Each structure stands twice: as structure tokens, then as C-alpha cells.
Amino acid sequence: MQCLSSKMQQNLKRQKLRKRSKREREREREMKNSLVFSLISLIGLSGFVGVLCQGGALCNNFYETSCPLAEHIVQSITWTYVASNFTLPAKFLRMHFHDCFVRGCDGSVLLDSTANNSAEKEAIPNQSLAGFDVIDEIKSKLEETCPGVVSCADILALVARDSVSFQFGKPLWEVPTGRRDGTISRASEALANIPSPFFNFTTLKQSFANKGLTVQDLVVLSGGHTIGVGHCNFFSNRLYNFTGKGDADPSLNSTYADFLKTKCQSLSDNTTIVEMDPGSSLSFDNNYFTILKQNEGLFQSDAALLTDQGSSNIVDEMLNSKTFFTEFRQSMVRMGTIEVLTGSAGEIRKKCTVINS
């Protein structure tokens, strides 16, 4: 009986092992099937990245499925123009900045005035903007390729990045996309929101804070003045009538002031232009901070960065080229997300100069 009992026990053990082994095999198959299904789901969903990130946030490669060549088209046309006109990067960087500070990065700066409305383009800070024809050409090409898909707001954000990046042959910062276009553009709002070259530090800080940007962003983004030019009427008061008594700004390097007087010979000169970063205004680098430390910042708003200890310390940090490029990359991404329209807000304009209806 004991022998039989022992055999029976062995048989029971073998049966249990077979059952367990069968259950384990079934569980393994279930896990494999689940994994395969998950992978298939991820692969399938990745094709709809634009749809998935439309819910209120921007994302990289938003047009991956809806218009796969979008970013290539933007870069190709932009680089073609920049190759023959090295002044364009500064113009597009400024245009993007001015767009984002008024109603967010919604392409409203691109809209033309109408019989009943004076658009942002007409505001004094925007009257010297240029490069709109390049934006229009890019939009026209994208409408041919994938109609009604790519927003003017995204085009402007990409063009700003690609134009500045041309000299390096690679993108300097990420541009998450998925912005939609605004339908309102008012000159009065541009004048009220775009930081003035006459601002002191307190006003500059508040202007940036109103857009969710920090003092760090203020200083770093001011580094964009390393390329481009300024019109005499935006700084000549520092040469001839700083306090209304026919005096010069004492914070301006006297040798530099004498040089500027040879360019801007009166307070009434509103056509002459001067490099913001003398001798280096076509090269995107951190030289702006070097001349700033020498009291050669062109605008009062440049000099203002040295009047606050915190911002002055950040200026010192930006003297390191690697630090500047890293910080500029991050600040540009933050600026490019100011009050963006996503999802079903706004529209995708057929033409960047006019709303759809």
C-alpha cells in the first residue's frame, strides 16, 4: 500500500507539473501577444503624432504624418534665401519675437491691415520688419504640398530657427510644432506689448514676466542683438538728449558714443542704421555680451541689463560661448510657447496675410 501510495504521489506530482507547465506556457503566450499588441499599437499611433499632441501642447514632428516634408520645405527655402542675404536671420528672429509678445506665437504679426483695422505690422516697433515675402513663398509651397495643414505661426517659428542656424548647417534649437493661427491683429496691442529699446530694467523685467519669462530669459534672449542693426532714432537720445538737457548717457562708452555720432548726426535721423554688434553683426555668437561689458550696448534696454546685480551676473555667465548657446536654445523654446493656440483654437490660414473668413 505504501508502494502504491508512493507511485500515486509521483503520478500526482507529474500531473501537477504538466498542468503548471501548461499554465506557464499559456501565460507566456499571453504575455507575448500582449507585448506584440502593445508594439503594434505604438507603431500605429506614432503615425498620428500630430493628432495625439493637439490637445493643448506642442510637440516635435507634429506634421510627421499630415505633411511629412513640411520642415524640410521650410528649411530648404529659408536657407536658399539666407545664402544670398545674410541679414535675414536677424530679421526673422526679431519677427518671431515680436509675434510671440503680442497675443502669443500665433502668426498675428503676419496679417495685413484691413479697411477697418490697423494690424500689428503698422505699429512703430514693426514698421522696420522685413522678410514677409519669404514667409509667403514658404506658405504657398506648403499649400501646394499639403493644403490647410501647416500654420503660419509654425512657419514663422521654424524660419526663425532655420535662418539663424544656416551658418552652422544644423538646427540650433528644437521647435515643437502644432501652433494654430490667430485671427486678430491690432497695432495698438503691438505697441503695448513689445518691449521698448527705451525700457529700464524694472520695465523690461515686468514685460517679460507678463509673458511667463524670467530674468534669465530676458538676458539670454537679449543676446539675439548679436546680429542685426538698429535705427538711429531708437538710441540717438543717448547721444544728444538723454535727460532732456542736451546731454549724453553717462553709461555709454564715450569712445563708442563718438563713433555713433558719426553715423547718427541728429535726433531727427530715422533712416540711418547701425550694427548692434559692430564688426560681428552677421555672425550669431555671444559677442554681444562682451561689448555689453564694455558699455557698448546700443540701446538703453541693453545697458539696463547691467543696472541690476542679478541680470549683470547672468551677463557674466553668457561670456562663456557654450553656456550662451545652451541657454539660448532653452529660452527660445520657452519663448516659442507663449500663449500658443492649439487643438481647435484659431485656424490654419490659407494665406499668412489674411484670415480665412
Side-chain angles (χ1 to χ4, degrees):
M1 290 292 294
Q2 287 180 350
C3 228
L4 181 60
S5 176
S6 177
K7 285 182 179 180
M8 288 178 66
Q9 288 177 3
Q10 289 176 2
N11 286 336
L12 287 171
K13 285 181 180 180
R14 281 195 291 268
Q15 288 175 7
K16 286 181 180 178
L17 285 172
R18 281 197 295 268
K19 288 181 180 179
R20 186 182 303 150
S21 179
K22 183 178 180 180
R23 282 198 300 272
E24 288 175 351
R25 287 196 300 271
E26 288 175 348
R27 192 176 295 114
E28 286 177 1
R29 278 197 297 270
E30 289 173 358
M31 290 177 67
K32 287 180 180 178
N33 289 338
S34 177
L35 180 60
V36 170
F37 178 77
S38 297
L39 289 171
I40 291 173
S41 297
L42 286 171
I43 293 170
L45 289 174
S46 67
F48 296 93
V49 62
V51 176
L52 285 178
C53 60
Q54 255 188 351
L58 305 179
C59 63
N60 295 328
N61 304 313
F62 180 85
Y63 301 107
E64 186 174 55
T65 296
S66 58
C67 192
L69 294 177
E71 294 195 22
H72 171 74
I73 289 171
V74 174
Q75 184 194 76
S76 178
I77 295 176
T78 301
W79 282 14
T80 297
Y81 273 94
V82 174
S84 59
N85 186 352
F86 292 150
T87 68
L88 284 175
K91 298 180 189 301
F92 288 131
L93 188 61
R94 183 165 173 252
M95 189 188 296
H96 181 37
F97 180 86
H98 284 206
D99 180 45
C100 290
F101 265 71
V102 185
R103 290 186 170 269
C105 311
D106 66 345
S108 56
V109 73
L110 304 173
L111 287 169
D112 284 341
S113 295
T114 65
N116 301 316
N117 178 65
S118 181
E120 292 172 34
K121 285 181 180 179
E122 307 303 323
I124 292 175
N126 290 333
Q127 289 177 2
S128 58
L129 292 180
F132 294 107
D133 56 327
V134 179
I135 302 290
D136 292 340
E137 182 175 329
I138 292 171
K139 178 60 174 174
S140 179
K141 181 63 177 179
L142 286 171
E143 284 299 303
E144 289 178 14
T145 308
C146 34
V149 173
V150 184
S151 70
C152 298
D154 273 344
I155 291 172
L156 179 50
L158 289 166
V159 168
R161 188 270 309 274
D162 292 341
S163 61
V164 175
S165 300
F166 173 77
Q167 75 177 83
F168 303 94
K170 62 180 182 180
L172 284 187
W173 64 88
E174 292 279 2
V175 177
T177 43
R179 298 169 188 79
R180 287 171 65 84
D181 297 321
T183 57
I184 298 173
S185 180
R186 300 189 181 114
S188 59
E189 292 183 354
L191 195 58
N193 285 278
I194 295 172
S196 165
F198 302 106
F199 277 179
N200 60 27
F201 178 77
T202 301
T203 314
L204 281 172
K205 180 181 177 180
Q206 187 59 56
S207 178
F208 273 67
N210 290 343
K211 305 302 175 182
L213 299 176
T214 65
V215 171
Q216 179 86 7
D217 295 317
L218 163 60
V219 176
V220 171
L221 292 174
S222 294
H225 285 179
T226 191
I227 52 175
V229 297
H231 286 73
C232 287
N233 53 307
F234 289 116
F235 62 85
S236 57
N237 68 307
R238 301 184 73 200
L239 307 175
Y240 300 110
N241 198 30
F242 188 60
T243 65
K245 299 178 181 179
D247 56 343
D249 182 350
S251 71
L252 185 61
N253 181 298
S254 59
T255 302
Y256 184 47
D258 289 339
F259 164 75
L260 291 175
K261 287 179 180 178
T262 67
K263 300 290 184 179
C264 308
Q265 298 182 13
S266 73
L267 278 170
S268 60
D269 185 347
N270 59 5
T271 57
T272 304
I273 56 175
V274 176
E275 292 178 292
M276 291 191 288
D277 185 355
S280 181
S281 65
L282 297 178
S283 177
F284 190 83
D285 51 36
N286 68 327
N287 195 57
Y288 164 82
F289 298 100
T290 299
I291 64 171
L292 194 59
K293 293 290 290 183
Q294 297 168 356
N295 295 315
E296 295 180 4
L298 189 61
F299 303 116
Q300 187 175 339
S301 58
D302 294 318
L305 301 181
L306 299 180
T307 64
D308 175 82
Q309 189 59 55
S311 65
S312 182
N313 289 341
I314 298 171
V315 169
D316 290 340
E317 293 171 6
M318 295 306 109
L319 295 172
N320 181 297
S321 181
K322 185 177 180 180
T323 300
F324 168 63
F325 277 94
T326 297
E327 293 298 324
F328 190 81
R329 182 184 308 121
Q330 295 171 358
S331 288
M332 281 302 297
V333 173
R334 283 193 289 272
M335 189 194 79
T337 63
I338 295 175
E339 300 169 20
V340 292
L341 301 175
T342 58
S344 59
E347 64 181 16
I348 304 297
R349 284 187 226 136
K350 296 175 183 177
K351 291 185 178 181
C352 292
T353 56
V354 60
I355 61 174
N356 291 341
S357 59

